[in-house]
Amino acid sequence: MNQRFGKQIGKISDYNELGDGTFFIGNNLITVPKTLLNDKVEVEVNQQLIGKVLRILEPSLFRIKPKCEIYNRCGGCTLQHVSYQHQLELKTKMIDKLFIHYFGKSFHIEPCLGMNYPFEYRNKNQIVFGNDSKEKIISGFYQ
């Protein structure tokens, strides 16, 4: 563990190109998955400057209760904790940041289009592959 950081309190000030929340400690950019703009969080920061949320001290106005009761265990849907309007804004911003990341400049990005009812339509399977202790290939779904 990086002893310079360890437990920290921060307020999410932006998103990276993957949609993870970010904040600065000095000149160090800390990335905190599943956080939202203006979340005030207590995090444990590792050597890669990734923060693991210990507590959300003040939730963002964009944070909502996920509709799905297994959202936090499943891994299938990644943004159910975000209000739908902010999801659309976040997805547009992620595309812009990806262009900046890969091409070094911003392009005109049309805003993401929404749906009248953005639930119960997904058909997503995310299957993980790896090796067990005997180097046999194993695969399965997230729990």
Side-chain angles (χ1 to χ4, degrees), residues 17-55:
E17 67 274 7
L18 302 176
D20 296 327
T22 60
F23 72 94
F24 282 93
I25 298 175
N27 292 328
N28 297 288
L29 182 66
I30 309 301
T31 301
V32 189
K34 291 214 174 191
T35 55
L36 302 176
L37 194 62
N38 296 321
D39 272 342
K40 184 175 181 183
V41 291
E42 180 181 14
V43 296
E44 183 75 36
V45 180
N46 68 18
Q47 292 177 342
Q48 290 77 37
L49 302 179
I50 307 293
K52 178 182 177 185
V53 175
L54 302 174
R55 290 187 302 153

